[in-house]
Amino acid sequence: WEIAAALPRDPARFGYKRPRPPIRRELLWGLGAAAITGGAFATWQGAAAMVYKTRIGEQKHITLPDGSLMFLDTDTRAAFSRHDGFRQVRLDRGRVGLRVAPDEDRLFRVEAGRQTVITSHSRLDVSEDGESSSVVLIDGQARVQVSRPQGPETRHLLSGERLHVTSTEVRLDRPNLSALLAWQHGQVIFENNTLKQAAAALNRYSD
């Protein structure tokens, strides 16, 4: 694009020669290639992801193109894409709060580590730190597909439940949501945590 903009406007100045008219076969090949390229571009464009991220100490509210709401915590990177049969958020790192807009015809998927959450409408809190991932179903309905060495495993979550997954275990519990979701109100609450865990949590918000 930059090279084309720098070319002289007069073709004669750089020895331009008019090409011979294409024969019918070459023209058909060109149209076919253009159609293929156009189709590939349309497919790529439809699957292109919109990337959202925050710096250390930053939080950000996002309204996704489908109407869902996403709240990014500090040092978070997430990508949203729409496909023919579903909507998807891929959480690369950090933590997000999601309020999924209802759409029975196009389910919503959230990928975080070894977990893939599938829902039509719900409120979720999802985190991923490279070693483990957790999904909290605040309200609504959701099922989670967990990738494990022995094969995929499906869990159905109830409101208030959290599924925590590492390379060695899958743990289901019911945490204190007030403490767990305090980050969405600018707070950090510790309950029965070690000093090491508290320091690691606070260090996420400052370098």
Side-chain angles (χ1 to χ4, degrees), residues 1-32:
W1 182 270
E2 293 173 352
I3 292 173
L7 291 176
R9 292 184 178 275
D10 183 4
R13 291 176 57 188
F14 55 93
Y16 175 80
K17 293 182 180 181
R18 182 182 301 277
R20 64 182 177 83
I23 63 174
R24 187 179 185 86
R25 180 179 299 174
E26 292 174 337
L27 182 60
L28 290 175
W29 273 107
L31 291 174

Side-chain angles (χ1 to χ4, degrees), residues 44-103:
W44 172 84
Q45 189 179 45
M50 304 177 68
V51 178
Y52 306 96
K53 52 187 177 181
T54 54
R55 301 183 302 272
I56 293 177
E58 180 185 20
Q59 293 180 328
K60 186 180 296 184
H61 287 275
I62 301 292
T63 300
L64 297 174
D66 71 325
S68 298
L69 303 178
M70 183 166 65
F71 186 23
L72 280 69
D73 198 10
T74 175
D75 192 22
T76 293
R77 186 182 190 277
F80 174 80
S81 57
R82 281 194 288 192
H83 306 266
D84 290 339
F86 60 93
R87 306 161 283 166
Q88 177 173 290
V89 164
R90 187 188 71 251
L91 179 61
D92 295 325
R93 69 172 185 273
R95 179 165 54 186
V96 296
L98 281 163
R99 186 185 295 270
V100 177
D103 188 344

Side-chain angles (χ1 to χ4, degrees), residues 128-202:
E128 157 66 22
D129 64 7
E131 297 181 357
S132 64
S133 62
S134 69
V135 174
V136 181
L137 179 63
I138 302 170
D139 60 52
Q141 297 179 346
R143 71 178 188 270
V144 183
Q145 295 177 348
V146 182
S147 176
R148 306 197 69 186
Q150 60 268 33
E153 178 181 327
T154 301
R155 298 287 189 97
H156 292 268
L157 295 185
L158 301 176
S159 296
E161 291 185 336
R162 172 177 62 182
L163 192 64
H164 185 80
V165 176
T166 68
S167 59
T168 58
E169 72 168 346
V170 176
R171 186 176 72 250
L172 183 69
D173 61 5
R174 299 184 69 89
N176 178 351
L177 293 184
S178 297
L180 186 71
L181 303 179
W183 69 272
Q184 298 186 13
H185 307 285
Q187 298 178 332
V188 179
I189 298 176
F190 299 110
E191 291 183 339
N192 300 318
N193 298 101
T194 65
L195 183 59
K196 180 180 179 180
Q197 291 170 331
L202 291 176

